[in-house]
Amino acid sequence: MTWDPLEELTLDELRRRTSMKWRAHPADVLPLWVAEMDVNLAPTVAGALRRAIDDGDTGYPCGTALAEAVGDFACRRWDYNVDVGHTAIVPDVMQGVVEVLRLLTERGDAVVVNPPVYAPFYAFVSHDGRRVIEAPLGPEGRIDPDALAAAFARAGAPGGKVAYLLCNPHNPTGSVHTAAELRAVAELARRFDVRVVSDEIHAPVVLPGSRFVPYLSVAGAENAFALMSASKAWNLSGLKAALAIAGPEAAADLRRMPEEVSHGPSHLGVLAHAEAFRSGDEWLDALLRGLDDKRRLLGDLVADQLPGVKYQPPQGTYLAWLDCRQLGFTEEAADGIAAVADLAGPARWFLDHARVALSSGHVFGTGGAGHVRVNFATSRAILVEAFTRMGRALRASR
Ligand SMILES: Cc1ncc(COP(=O)(O)O)c(C=O)c1O
């Protein structure tokens, strides 16, 4: 049996954690929602943090170590070269998205997204005074070029600048966009004069059978931006840092980013993220094997416990998007921008009746209602217990 970072911690040990996943709900709830993983830190990352603490090295971040580490990783894993001179450290991915959108658009301008999509895309974009325009994914959970073209046309119609916030790989469907799909995106973006910002936070978490393509590596994407971070793949969300990368034609835009933005990431975050990209391959490969097993296990658990629910194994991320519409829990969601922890429909029902916390589909925008998102980055025992509880509650209700 090979080592699996997802099998190291017991439920009692996990319950001692004080982060959002483990504290947002009472202790009888099994949390399979927010994208934190139930793993220990990769040993080399923990070592780098311990050294910094022991040395009192807790000042402000400085230098290009994160960009160089991301660059080496991108070269090793994706055969892609990052130009370190065209990068900037940013506080985290979402703050980086906001800062890049400020370079490319003005208040009142439009930002196109592909629902169902990571819920904070709506909140961050609209809190910064930009309009969100939806280009829904196609029925297979993939980018629909016709919907994208229509949204680009609609977004640009009143005049003003348009940006497109791409999620690559896509949260919550786990779709890993192919080179051909991304080339089509780039062609449309050029045709409609739309600037692309590619959120690539899940890029290292691509499971066997698929290959991640950096958006900036495709022809036509030279004027785009990408955001990268180790926070999903190595579970470092509490250690704030991310990297903004400009394509060659966007380098001048990046130079307009205020210097103060680079004071936002924490120095410990930059150290940890850089160490993960530099020396975390072996740990990551073990994680990916574990996630591949869990992705299969999830198929069995859905078939056994939740008949009628549809599950398409994700190609990347540790998030599974379950279509629960046949269960008939049609509770209406509140209007307006939803917070990640808002609950309606099946997620509300499973929390109330099975004491399992899932992400509620409605927060992911158009097409999300009636779905739930399951974070399967946990142990086999916890997944089996959660789905057994849900199955039992469902059978008792029928
Ligand atoms: C697509 C996507 N972007 C951004 C984030 C958040 O990243 P950060 O905490 O670095 O802002 C997440 C977290 O799950 C995510 O899934």
Side-chain angles (χ1 to χ4, degrees), residues 156-182:
K161 298 170 184 154
V162 180
Y164 168 42
L165 182 48
L166 170 68
C167 194
N168 179 35
H170 194 88
N171 171 4
T173 58
S175 315
V176 175
H177 309 304
T178 64
E181 286 171 321
L182 294 176

Side-chain angles (χ1 to χ4, degrees), residues 34-35 91-95 118 121 124 167 169 171 199 201-202 229 231-232 237 240-242 319 373:
V34 65
D92 58 22
V93 166
M94 286 318 300
Q95 213 49 56
Y118 180 58
F121 277 14
F124 277 90
C167 194
N171 171 4
D199 174 341
I201 195 169
H202 292 279
S229 147
S231 90
K232 294 301 116 182
S237 338
K240 290 282 180 186
L319 308 167
R373 192 192 73 174

